[in-house]
């Protein structure tokens, strides 16, 4: 790993304030996440009944949203794009043809407990089922994390499956959100992976640096900076308003230990389904040092149909974006379909 400078020098600018043995600040903030829609909407001066908040949707997939993310929402705006991503509403409970519990074929691609392999050379580890935020469009909202969790048994089965396949040269940590695990737990995994000679790259898919940027602390940076592989961190932001100064700081710190930062977004009706919203997202992401990577067409998992944007409109949005921006700021519009050898361009 090539870093921007000695890690000790980088971290000295961010002195530790945590007492030994005490929970890290990000863990404290995690525990303070809002879980009650009434409390969330009262904070925003909005009425739950008018917005169609659904107790059935909450029972199926709970609300969770960190206070820092709530602070980026617009008070009094029932159509706020950040609020729409997290608020459980009646539309989630309406059946829709073509939507299923496993829209992307995770079950059929199982290689070992918590290990999914869909594409040549890459193995994805479902490291945990936990997330700091519950996004209503989540394609794994019905996933059986209790049974399919690579951390079970001290990572042994997952590591053995990767070691046994010399064609795997890239490991992808996913979830849930892998950074919801304590750093020492993540280090257990990467310590076990170090002995596998055919691994050449590590990728981490995470939303935490966006929704809970305090997760990017000294301990995490020390672990990342010590990894022996080139590192790509794929963050997930769908709207420019998800970025603020705290997120910018987290991204700068991740770049400082040599990580390549990419953003993948999901095209969501009522959130980012305009050329202007997508332009703002690409430009704001790049200003924070994060290169636009993928714009996903919605994975058709049960409960998310109200977010769907049809392909005709999606292509028109990308055409409009291409006419406005440099090529490197235009994400690839893709869809994931079971059985395909890669993401499918739309």
């Amino acid at each position: 790993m090539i870093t921007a400078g000695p890690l000790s020098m980088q971290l000295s600018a961010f002195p530790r304030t945590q007492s030994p043995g005490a929970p890290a600040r990000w863990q404290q903030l995690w525990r303070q996440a809002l879980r009650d829609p009434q409390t969330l909407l009262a904070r925003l001066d909005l009425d739950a009944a008018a917005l169609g908040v659904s107790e059935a949707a909450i029972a199926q997939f709970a609300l969770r949203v960190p206070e820092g993310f709530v602070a980026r929402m617009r008070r009094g705006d029932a159509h706020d794009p950040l609020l729409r991503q997290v608020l459980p509403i009646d539309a989630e409970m309406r059946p829709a043809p073509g939507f299923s519990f496993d829209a992307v074929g995770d079950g059929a691609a199982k290689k070992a407990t918590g290990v999914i392999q869909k594409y040549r050379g890459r193995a994805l580890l479902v490291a945990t089922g936990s997330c700091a935020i519950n996004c209503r469009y989540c394609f794994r909202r019905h996933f059986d994390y209790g049974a399919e969790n690579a951390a079970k048994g001290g990572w042994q089965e997952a590591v053995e499956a990767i070691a046994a396949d010399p064609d795997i040269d890239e490991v992808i940590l996913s979830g849930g959100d892998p950074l919801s695990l304590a750093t020492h737990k993540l280090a257990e995994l990467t310590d076990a992976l170090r002995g596998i000679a055919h691994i050449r790259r590590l990728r981490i898919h995470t939303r935490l640096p966006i929704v809970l940027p305090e997760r990017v602390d000294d301990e995490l940076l020390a672990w990342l900076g010590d990894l022996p592989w080139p590192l790509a961190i794929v963050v997930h932001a769908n709207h420019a308003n998800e970025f603020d100064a705290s997120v910018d700081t987290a991204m700068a710190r991740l770049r400082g230990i040599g990580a390549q930062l990419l953003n993948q977004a999901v095209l969501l009706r009522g959130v980012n389904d305009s050329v202007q919203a997508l332009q703002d997202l690409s430009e704001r992401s790049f200003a924070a040092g994060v290169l636009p990577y993928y714009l996903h067409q919605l994975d058709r998992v049960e409960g998310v149909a109200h977010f769907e944007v049809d392909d005709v409109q999606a292509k028109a949005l990308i055409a409009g974006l291409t006419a406005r921006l440099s090529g490197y700021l235009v994400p690839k519009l893709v869809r994931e379909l079971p059985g395909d050898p890669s993401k499918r361009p739309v």
Side-chain angles (χ1 to χ4, degrees), residues 1 7 100 130 141 151 159 165 196 208 251 324 333 335:
M1 171 63 64
L7 189 60
S100 65
S130 295
R141 57 183 287 164
V159 171
D165 187 347
I196 303 176
L208 259 77
M251 299 304 154
R324 293 188 182 190
L333 179 65
R335 169 180 284 115

Side-chain angles (χ1 to χ4, degrees), residues 77-91:
D77 184 357
H79 304 289
D80 179 79
L82 278 59
L83 174 63
R84 182 166 171 77
Q85 294 180 56
V86 302
L87 190 66
I89 59 174
D90 293 330

Side-chain angles (χ1 to χ4, degrees), residues 52 57 88 118-119 125 128 157 186 191 217 247 274 286 310 339:
K118 298 178 182 178
Y119 310 138
L125 270 66
T128 176
E157 183 179 343
L186 293 165
D191 286 349
D217 60 10
V247 176
S274 71
F286 189 75
D310 67 46

